[in-house]
Amino acid sequence: MDSLTQIALGASVSVAVMGRRTAAWKAALWGGICGTLPDLDAFIDHGDPVRNMTLHRGDSHALFWLTLATPLLAAAIARLHGEQAQWRRWGLAVWLALVTHPLLDLMTVYGTQLLRPFSEHPYGVGSIFIIDPLYTVPLLAGLVVAMRSRRLGALRWNLAGLAFSTAYLGWSVVAQQHVAGIARASLHAQGVQAARLLVTPTAFNTVLWRVVAVTPDGYLEGFRSLLDREPQMQFERFARGDELYRDRLAPASWHARRLAWFTHGFYKVERHGDELRMTDLRMGQEPYYTFTFVLAERRDGQDLPVTPRLVSQRPALREGFTWLWLRAQGLQVPPPR
C-alpha cells in the first residue's frame, strides 16, 4: 500500500494500544514511523531493476525479523520518553505497527515475502489496489478526531476507523471471490480452459475488477463491475509469447526465470524491434503495465541477455479515468488501448 496509508495504519494501531497511557501524539508519531519503516528497503539498490522489484517486500517485511526488532525499538522509545514502566505496552504497540505493514501489503497483488528467512514465497491476496481512499480515509478521520479532541470518548473514533478499514478489507475479499466465481463460470460456458486465474480490483476501488486467465495458447483479459447486469463476462484474447520465453529467455536469463517465479506465471514476452521484453501482467491492464523489462537484445542473429532495463508505459490519464468511471457503473465501454 501507499506510504500515507501505512503511516495512518501504524499510527492508528499504536494509539489504540497505548490509549491514555501516553500522549496520543507520541503514540501516533512512533506508530506512524514504525508503520513506514519496512518500506525503507525501496531505497536499496540491488544492482538491477528485476532484483529491486523481486527483493522489495523481502527481509524488511518478514514477520520474523520485525518481531526480533521490536524489543530494541520499544525499549528505545520508552527510555526516550521516560516511560520505562510502559515498556511492555510500547512493545505491543511497536510490534503491531510493524507487522500490520506487511499484513496490509499482503492484501495487494504485488507479492510480500512474509515468511523469510524460512520461505521466499511472495504471497499476495490481490483484493485491494495499492491506493484505496475507502480504506485510508476512515483511518485518517478516526485518528485526527482522537488526537484533536480531549473528550474521554475521543479514542473510540480511532477504534471506529480501524474497525471500518478492517471490515473493508474483508469486503474486498468477498467481492473478489464473487467476481472469481462469475469469471470461472463464464470461462467454462465459453469452453475456455484456464491454467491460472487472477482477479484484482482496478485503480482506487473495489467495484470494478480485472480478470486475467492464462490459457495454453495465450491469456484473456476481461472486466467485471459489481453493477453489471449481464450474467457472463466477455474477454479479449492476447498472445503470451510462451515460445519466446521457453526458447529464447528461460535457458539463458536468470532474470526471466526470476520474473516467472515472482509473477506466479502471470507474464508475457514479446519482441519489440531488436528487444525481448517481459511484462508482469498483474499490475496494469492491456497494453499499459507497471513492470515491463528489456531482458535480451538481438545481435548477429541471436537473442543475448542484457542487464535488465525497466520500460515506462503510461496511459492517457484523462481517458483512463473516464473509462474507469463509466465502466464501474456497469456501462459496457471498451477499455482504452
Side-chain angles (χ1 to χ4, degrees):
M1 297 291 286
D2 64 284
S3 295
L4 176 61
T5 299
Q6 293 290 9
I7 291 171
L9 176 60
S12 297
V13 167
S14 182
V15 169
V17 171
M18 296 305 296
R20 296 296 181 184
R21 296 172 180 84
T22 191
W25 71 265
K26 295 180 186 177
L29 173 65
W30 289 110
I33 291 174
C34 292
T36 197
L37 275 178
D39 271 347
L40 294 182
D41 71 333
F43 295 100
I44 300 174
D45 185 0
H46 296 282
D48 63 69
V50 171
R51 283 187 169 88
N52 290 342
M53 174 192 176
T54 60
L55 291 175
H56 177 49
R57 298 194 188 179
D59 285 324
S60 69
H61 287 59
L63 301 179
F64 179 77
W65 298 123
L66 293 175
T67 300
L68 286 185
T70 294
L72 294 175
L73 288 171
I77 294 170
R79 183 169 183 175
L80 177 66
H81 295 294
E83 299 178 359
Q84 286 89 337
Q86 300 292 340
W87 177 83
R88 293 182 183 275
R89 181 62 63 163
W90 272 114
L92 179 59
V94 167
W95 182 72
L96 286 175
L98 288 172
V99 301
T100 51
H101 179 121
L103 291 176
L104 179 57
D105 279 347
L106 171 69
M107 303 304 293
T108 69
V109 76
Y110 186 95
T112 306
Q113 298 170 47
L114 289 172
L115 300 184
R116 277 177 170 256
F118 312 105
S119 170
E120 293 186 350
H121 184 80
Y123 295 94
V125 176
S127 66
I128 193 167
F129 190 68
I130 59 170
I131 301 174
D132 193 320
L134 276 181
Y135 180 84
T136 307
V137 170
L139 281 176
L140 289 172
L143 183 64
V144 168
V145 173
M147 293 183 64
R148 291 178 64 90
S149 176
R150 296 185 178 180
R151 295 181 180 179
L152 291 178
L155 292 180
R156 295 177 182 175
W157 286 92
N158 182 61
L159 291 175
L162 277 171
F164 183 92
S165 293
T166 303
Y168 183 69
L169 286 180
W171 148 258
S172 73
V173 174
V174 172
Q176 181 189 44
Q177 294 306 308
H178 169 70
V179 174
I182 295 174
R184 291 190 184 97
S186 300
L187 291 169
H188 179 75
Q190 296 168 30
V192 176
Q193 294 183 347
R196 299 179 183 86
L197 187 69
L198 178 72
V199 180
T200 56
T202 54
F204 315 125
N205 77 102
T206 52
V207 176
L208 179 61
W209 296 77
R210 174 177 178 256
V211 177
V212 177
V214 175
T215 65
D217 60 348
Y219 66 96
L220 308 178
E221 181 186 63
F223 296 90
R224 180 74 182 185
S225 169
L226 299 182
L227 302 180
D228 283 352
R229 297 182 179 181
E230 295 78 6
Q232 286 195 12
M233 290 184 61
Q234 302 300 316
F235 296 90
E236 289 186 72
R237 187 180 300 274
F238 300 94
R240 185 162 169 257
D242 286 331
E243 292 184 359
L244 289 174
Y245 174 78
R246 183 179 63 249
D247 300 336
R248 302 291 182 175
L249 285 182
S253 175
W254 174 88
H255 296 95
R257 298 191 297 272
R258 178 77 173 178
L259 283 173
W261 162 78
F262 191 74
T263 62
H264 306 288
F266 289 99
Y267 64 84
K268 69 174 179 177
V269 177
E270 56 189 351
R271 192 177 293 281
H272 191 272
D274 290 332
E275 301 173 344
L276 279 182
R277 297 182 176 183
M278 191 167 180
T279 297
D280 184 342
L281 294 175
R282 300 172 304 157
M283 288 167 276
Q285 65 187 60
E286 199 64 37
Y288 308 106
Y289 291 97
T290 305
F291 294 105
T292 293
F293 302 93
V294 177
L295 297 185
E297 292 181 350
R298 194 163 187 82
R299 299 172 186 170
D300 299 326
Q302 293 183 322
D303 292 308
L304 302 178
V306 297
T307 301
R309 299 193 305 273
L310 181 63
V311 179
S312 178
Q313 295 178 311
R314 296 184 181 277
L317 291 181
R318 178 175 295 183
E319 183 181 2
F321 281 125
T322 299
W323 170 82
L324 183 68
W325 172 250
L326 295 175
R327 187 64 188 85
Q329 297 177 61
L331 302 177
Q332 296 299 321
V333 182
R337 298 298 190 197

